[in-house]
Amino acid sequence: MARRIDVTGAGGVRLAAWEFGDPPKPDQTAPERDAREREDHTPGVLLLHGLMGRASHWASTARWLSGRHRAVALDQRGHGQSGKPPRAAFTREAYVEDAEAALEQLGLGPAVLIGHAMGALTAWQLAAKRPDLVSGVIICDMRASALGSASQREWSAWFDSWPVPFATLADVRKWFGEDDPWVERPNPARGEFYAEVMSESPDGWRPVFEPEQMLKSRETWVYDAHWEELAQVRCPTLVVRGLDGELGRAEAQEMVRVLPLGQYAEVADAGHLVHYDQPVAWRGAIEPFLDGLTG
């Protein structure tokens, strides 16, 4: 099961956090003591999805983690069931402050941060800013180098190419899994990933996010490199890449070298959506790292 907990993020934006697993039944005679003991003895994990993602993309990982951790996934601002105010900030600072607020308001820290793509950048920026709140970081397929203005133009054109509204979810799965020009070969996992971020409207299926807000979010990191912040992460950090993902082996290994306590893992037969493409192999890649943190 997943229990929703509302969090107040930067600028008062309402955020939806989801705690996975069956929480222990509280001691009704001493609820405050029970909550305190739980926070003291159960290692916390905060999972941060990538651009256009949502907390439910972590469901498989979070349920697996919940056997030994307090696993919470966050719908980040502009995503999932979190707030999407038209005038909200979609800066790096806002995303980092949101994750910081989630850790503090949920009593998760010091926690392991597991982030995919944009969520991974948020994780290591928060670890650099607030080392007291972070015990470890797992970076899933996110580059530290700048992507450049051409990348942003390509993404804008890609959003414009979407044949929205989609008539059915099957059409969503087919387009993103097969017909999208960015797909080199059929990828059913990618189709499922995007089907999960669609909602039904009167004229068909549309994304739960505003593409304009996604581009605003993205433009706050694509023009800059993030090596300096990476070097400031003092806790153990695992860099994971899919062999067919966006993070190349040379850059991933350089990230590990720059990190004071960096480790490396890769997942075969996986692209950018590592945890979605190969969930079992993904768990196998991160389990030794997590064991090392709690052992």
Side-chain angles (χ1 to χ4, degrees):
M1 62 168 286
R3 176 171 67 101
R4 174 172 170 161
I5 310 169
D6 285 338
V7 171
T8 301
V13 174
R14 177 192 53 76
L15 305 172
W18 303 88
E19 183 168 1
F20 287 79
D22 296 321
K25 291 183 172 59
D27 178 351
Q28 297 300 324
T29 62
E32 291 183 5
R33 186 193 67 195
D34 180 86
R36 206 164 45 241
E37 288 178 353
R38 184 163 177 236
E39 290 170 11
D40 287 345
H41 299 296
T42 306
V45 175
L46 183 65
L47 299 114
L48 301 168
H49 60 73
L51 189 73
M52 301 179 293
R54 64 187 308 171
S56 60
H57 283 144
W58 288 116
S60 173
T61 298
R63 291 193 183 101
W64 169 70
L65 287 168
S66 68
R68 295 170 55 186
H69 301 80
R70 185 182 176 204
V72 177
L74 182 68
D75 272 339
Q76 297 176 79
R77 60 178 51 216
H79 296 75
Q81 294 189 29
S82 285
K84 305 169 181 66
R87 292 186 176 86
F90 289 92
T91 60
R92 283 283 81 226
E93 293 77 13
Y95 277 104
V96 172
E97 288 173 16
D98 286 348
E100 182 179 4
L103 289 177
E104 291 182 327
Q105 292 172 37
L106 298 173
L108 276 178
V112 179
L113 304 183
I114 301 179
H116 173 244
M118 178 189 75
L121 176 58
T122 299
W124 87 62
Q125 288 180 325
L126 178 54
K129 176 186 178 185
R130 290 290 306 274
D132 58 306
L133 287 178
V134 184
S135 60
V137 176
I138 296 178
I139 296 169
C140 179
D141 215 67
M142 179 61 185
R143 300 177 62 184
S145 58
L147 301 181
S149 56
S151 171
Q152 190 71 351
R153 289 194 298 271
E154 289 169 1
W155 271 70
S156 180
W158 180 58
F159 277 131
D160 290 340
S161 75
W162 291 16
V164 291
F166 293 93
T168 67
L169 279 179
D171 292 326
V172 174
R173 294 185 182 97
K174 185 175 187 301
W175 196 82
F176 287 101
E178 299 177 25
D179 300 338
D180 182 352
W182 284 15
V183 175
E184 295 181 357
R185 58 180 181 272
N187 187 339
R190 189 174 188 269
E192 291 295 339
F193 182 95
Y194 283 98
E196 203 160 333
V197 296
M198 297 288 162
S199 63
E200 192 171 16
S201 58
D203 61 349
W205 292 83
R206 295 178 176 273
V208 298
F209 52 78
E210 296 294 335
E212 294 80 6
Q213 292 183 346
M214 299 300 98
L215 288 172
K216 283 183 182 178
S217 299
R218 195 173 185 274
E219 72 183 4
T220 66
W221 89 73
V222 295
Y223 303 119
D224 300 313
H226 306 283
W227 295 98
E228 183 176 346
E229 293 148 305
L230 194 69
Q232 295 169 6
V233 177
R234 299 296 169 183
C235 61
T237 302
L238 177 67
V239 178
V240 185
R241 63 178 290 267
L243 290 188
D244 298 317
E246 296 177 9
L247 175 61
R249 178 180 282 117
E251 183 170 352
Q253 292 178 344
E254 179 63 12
M255 290 169 67
V256 172
R257 189 192 68 78
V258 166
L259 284 158
L261 296 173
Q263 300 178 39
Y264 175 76
E266 58 186 28
V267 178
D269 299 318
H272 180 57
L273 306 175
V274 182
H275 57 301
Y276 229 73
D277 286 343
Q278 298 292 341
V280 175
W282 154 255
R283 293 194 293 268
I286 67 173
E287 187 170 22
F289 176 78
L290 292 170
D291 287 345
L293 294 178
T294 58

